[in-house]
Amino acid sequence: MPDARADTSAPIRRPGLVRIGYVVVGLTLFAAYLISTFPYSATLTKVLAPMGLEVSSTGQTASFPFGARLSDVRLTSTRPASAGLLVESPAVTIAPAFLSMLTMHPGVRVKANLYDGVVSATIRPSGGNTAISYDLDSVELARQQLWTIPGASTAGALSGSGSLLLSPDNIAQSGDGELSAAGLTFTSPFAQAPIRLGDGHSKFTLDDGTLTIEEFTTSGGDLILTAEGTIQLAPDPGDSELAIQFTLSTTPAAAAQLGILLTTLPHPPGPEPYHLTGTLNAPRIS
């Protein structure tokens, strides 16, 4: 015999579930609206302002399911010693970092098209500093604008990951990471043609404004390079102080091609190391 109680309760449960579904959908759409209209550029600037950085964009549209897509994003330095454009991207997808919002430290997750590659990062304030975790995928070095060597240029696809804690006082409070590059080349006015370095790999740490290169090696190129040492970072990147030890070795064909450049070195390439000192703007080799 059919259960009369089951027959009478089913119609009651179904409308109740429908109402709950409407509420959930309504709350989801409302949350999506709030998140898509969130002032991302202003929030990023607020997070990065202690570092002397400012973010601007020309437009913002919603990005499914949560977040927004910013157009023509520019990261500029407001520090007097290095004011100007640092990085620009045609399109950046950005959304709130929900975990950091729950801890009352609102942050953002960023994914940007950058110089033919992609950069993903989570950025949030941390005790007066700025905490960043990042991933790089095939960013073209030839187009970067963070720093350049006078009279020289580099090219290659850079990938890697790491974390940074940036301080308004000494720039890099702490951090670590690994980077790799494919198709590395270096152009110098002292070389007849671009110098092929091949593939590169490096590991580094940051502590109290000092970048320590724990490992740097290249392979598969005309010039084989190994290096380790430190860079004392400065508010103006060109003033950063170098204390790096490195070795060079070349193929016979490359030695002939790089003859003029190699004569400027203190001794021929080989196992005896060179010492790189001075600053990024005015390096010295001994």
Side-chain angles (χ1 to χ4, degrees):
M1 181 177 179
D3 190 339
R5 288 176 299 177
D7 291 341
T8 57
S9 61
I12 296 174
R13 286 200 300 269
R14 281 195 290 270
L17 292 174
V18 170
R19 293 191 191 97
I20 293 173
Y22 283 144
V23 171
V24 170
V25 171
L27 290 175
T28 300
L29 292 175
F30 179 65
Y33 168 77
L34 290 179
I35 293 173
S36 66
T37 57
F38 188 80
Y40 294 101
S41 292
T43 299
L44 271 176
T45 293
K46 182 177 179 180
V47 171
L48 297 175
M51 312 302 112
L53 300 173
E54 183 177 75
V55 177
S56 64
S57 64
T58 60
Q60 175 176 317
T61 57
S63 177
F64 181 83
F66 299 114
R69 180 182 175 90
L70 307 183
S71 304
D72 301 322
V73 178
R74 294 165 60 90
L75 177 66
T76 57
S77 172
T78 59
R79 294 178 182 272
S82 58
L85 178 66
L86 297 177
V87 176
E88 58 183 339
S89 170
V92 174
T93 301
I94 186 169
F98 292 105
L99 182 60
S100 65
M101 293 180 71
L102 292 175
T103 60
M104 304 305 291
H105 294 289
V108 292
R109 292 185 293 108
V110 179
K111 185 175 183 179
N113 299 327
L114 185 66
Y115 306 141
D116 300 328
V118 177
V119 175
S120 301
T122 299
I123 306 171
R124 62 179 179 82
S126 177
N129 301 317
T130 301
I132 301 175
S133 58
Y134 65 87
D135 288 283
L136 310 178
D137 185 12
S138 301
V139 175
E140 180 51 57
L141 286 171
R143 300 180 58 192
Q144 64 83 26
Q145 303 175 55
L146 289 176
W147 63 273
T148 58
I149 301 174
S153 62
T154 58
L158 184 67
S159 301
S161 62
S163 61
L164 300 171
L165 184 64
L166 305 183
S167 164
D169 299 322
N170 56 10
I171 303 179
Q173 185 70 22
S174 61
D176 58 69
E178 293 192 33
L179 296 172
S180 61
L184 274 175
T185 62
F186 178 75
T187 302
S188 167
F190 301 102
Q192 300 175 2
I195 304 167
R196 296 189 311 110
L197 296 176
D199 297 332
H201 178 75
S202 67
K203 295 176 62 176
F204 68 88
T205 59
L206 283 164
D207 183 37
D208 197 25
T210 299
L211 170 66
T212 299
I213 302 170
E214 297 182 341
E215 173 191 347
F216 180 85
T217 59
T218 67
S219 60
D222 301 323
L223 197 65
I224 308 301
L225 172 66
T226 67
E228 61 181 21
T230 64
I231 302 176
Q232 185 65 47
L233 302 177
D236 183 346
D239 293 333
S240 299
E241 297 181 2
L242 307 171
I244 297 173
Q245 178 176 290
F246 67 97
T247 62
L248 294 176
S249 61
T250 66
T251 62
Q257 177 185 341
L258 303 176
I260 297 177
L261 178 62
L262 296 179
T263 59
T264 65
L265 298 175
H267 57 79
E272 183 181 354
Y274 301 95
H275 298 276
L276 179 63
T277 57
T279 65
L280 284 175
N281 281 342
R284 297 189 301 270
I285 298 178
S286 59

